[in-house]
């Protein structure tokens, strides 16, 4: 019904920047929160940044001041601008979104995950 497709990952040197994108497509009436998570090898998945449909944002302490989350509601897309990258930022970055569907009698929300995009920070 809904696909989330991430792009923009890659290899970058410490101190460099990357911009991730996540586009949602399919049966979408509207989207509530859109989030970026990351999962490093052997680690649990952690929330990196979140943004509501009104534009309010929230960040993990480890990325505050370096990462910026934004969204384009017309394109059903969320972005993550990552600056001053560190080796410890190396992980698979995964998009999450709460999608509102229109049912027969009422609307309902479902949570979707993308497959992730790999970010490697190394010299």
């Amino acid at each position: 019904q809904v696909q989330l497709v991430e792009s923009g990952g890659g290899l970058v040197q410490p101190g460099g920047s990357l911009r991730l994108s996540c586009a949602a497509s399919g049966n979408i009436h509207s989207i509530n929160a859109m989030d970026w998570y990351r999962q490093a090898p052997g680690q649990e998945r952690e929330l990196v940044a979140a943004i509501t449909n009104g534009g309010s944002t929230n960040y993990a302490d480890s990325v505050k001041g370096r990462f910026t989350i934004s969204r384009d509601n017309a394109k059903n897309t969320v972005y993550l601008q990552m600056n001053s990258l560190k080796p410890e930022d190396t992980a698979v970055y995964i998009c999450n979104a709460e999608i509102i569907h229109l049912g027969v009698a009422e609307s309902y929300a479902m949570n979707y995950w993308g497959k992730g995009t790999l970010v490697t920070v190394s010299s």
Side-chain angles (χ1 to χ4, degrees), residues 25-87:
S25 62
N27 180 21
I28 298 170
H29 172 63
S30 61
I31 305 177
N32 286 341
M34 301 186 81
D35 314 316
W36 285 99
Y37 285 75
R38 67 186 181 188
Q39 188 164 20
Q43 307 266 340
E44 291 189 356
R45 187 173 295 187
E46 63 170 346
L47 178 64
V48 175
I51 185 167
T52 67
N53 57 5
S56 296
T57 59
N58 187 39
Y59 297 93
D61 287 343
S62 59
V63 306
K64 280 180 182 176
R66 300 188 298 122
F67 291 10
T68 302
I69 189 170
S70 61
R71 63 190 283 173
D72 184 334
N73 291 332
K75 295 182 179 179
N76 291 334
T77 299
V78 62
Y79 306 97
L80 186 67
Q81 178 66 43
M82 305 185 295
N83 299 329
S84 301
L85 282 160
K86 305 175 182 180

Side-chain angles (χ1 to χ4, degrees), residues 10-21:
L11 174 64
V12 63
Q13 292 187 341
S17 298
L18 281 175
R19 189 190 193 214
L20 306 182
S21 300

Side-chain angles (χ1 to χ4, degrees), residues 68-117:
T68 302
I69 189 170
S70 61
R71 63 190 283 173
D72 184 334
N73 291 332
K75 295 182 179 179
N76 291 334
T77 299
V78 62
Y79 306 97
L80 186 67
Q81 178 66 43
M82 305 185 295
N83 299 329
S84 301
L85 282 160
K86 305 175 182 180
E88 51 264 42
D89 294 318
T90 295
V92 175
Y93 283 71
I94 307 157
C95 178
N96 175 269
E98 185 179 68
I99 307 291
I100 305 298
H101 300 286
L102 286 182
V104 174
E106 60 186 6
S107 63
Y108 59 96
M110 290 188 67
N111 199 258
Y112 293 89
W113 292 90
K115 293 183 179 180
T117 184

